[in-house]
Amino acid sequence: MFEEGNRCTKETVPHSAVFLLCAAVIGLILAACGGGEKEAHPTPDSGVSQAVSFQTADGVTIRGHLFGDGDKLVILAHMRPSDQTSWYGFADELAKAGYSALTFDFRGYGESEGSKELSKIDRDVEAAIETMRDKGYGSIYLVGASMGGTASLIVAARQEVAGVVAISAPADFEGLDAEAVVGQVSERKLFIASKGDSSATTSLERLFERAPEPKEEKVFEGSDHGTNLLEGKDAAEVKAAIMAFLSGQ
């Protein structure tokens, strides 16, 4: 029935049977590979975090996960094309260091609803702040990677936060213009990029020049972008810089 490396052959099996057997084999292969179905969205251990959801001003339901139970909250905004899962490892580290950390998916990403209207993702960050403030968090930091950093800077210009960290943040992105408003961010600011990520370092320079004090900048070796900096060879230094900023050092 099967010859020469399990190929279906017309000589030994009727055409209809060949078709059915080949279809069955293909079905098994697809099943082993996931069948082309959407892969289940990974979630952190339920013992480590709790699921949260909230609505934006324009009615989009945003979903995320809250790690830790510290008084200080760090809201982590992801980059493109990643989603909130890119922050899970660092969120867990923040929780172990005594902070609360909120990860969430921007609209159209991961667990959240809506379409990927990137020009409106600042509304998602703002809704996260307002929701968590209603839950009793008074000291809220924003940490954003790439487009998440751009959105975080824009929101920090109109919302009271404890500080903002922008990692590889574009000065402007899909209609979001952080360069135009960064001068209004009076809170502490930390700008991070890597030397080999030329567009990110150029944006860092533009944003840093326009930003008022207090402000810091950290440029690391390599060319990692956004949350990839938390996993590359300079990961320990990058995390230490963020932790020091959060602690006020």
Side-chain angles (χ1 to χ4, degrees), residues 37 55 75 86 89 97 105 109 120 125 140-141 151 164 181 206:
E37 296 180 0
Q55 276 206 328
I75 296 178
S86 62
D105 286 317
Y109 284 82
K120 298 179 180 180
V125 177
I140 299 177
Y141 291 84
V164 57
V181 299
R206 289 164 56 187

Side-chain angles (χ1 to χ4, degrees), residues 33-40:
C33 297
E37 296 180 0
K38 184 178 179 181
E39 184 178 339

Side-chain angles (χ1 to χ4, degrees), residues 146-160:
S146 196
M147 70 175 184
T150 305
S152 294
L153 287 168
I154 290 172
V155 173
R158 59 184 187 236
Q159 286 274 354
E160 183 177 347

Side-chain angles (χ1 to χ4, degrees), residues 166-186:
I167 307 171
S168 311
D172 55 82
F173 176 83
E174 298 287 342
L176 297 173
D177 192 347
E179 187 173 12
V181 299
V182 70
Q184 301 169 35
V185 183
S186 59

Side-chain angles (χ1 to χ4, degrees), residues 236-249:
E237 292 181 54
V238 175
K239 292 176 183 179
I242 298 173
M243 290 291 194
F245 177 84
L246 296 174
S247 67
Q249 297 179 6

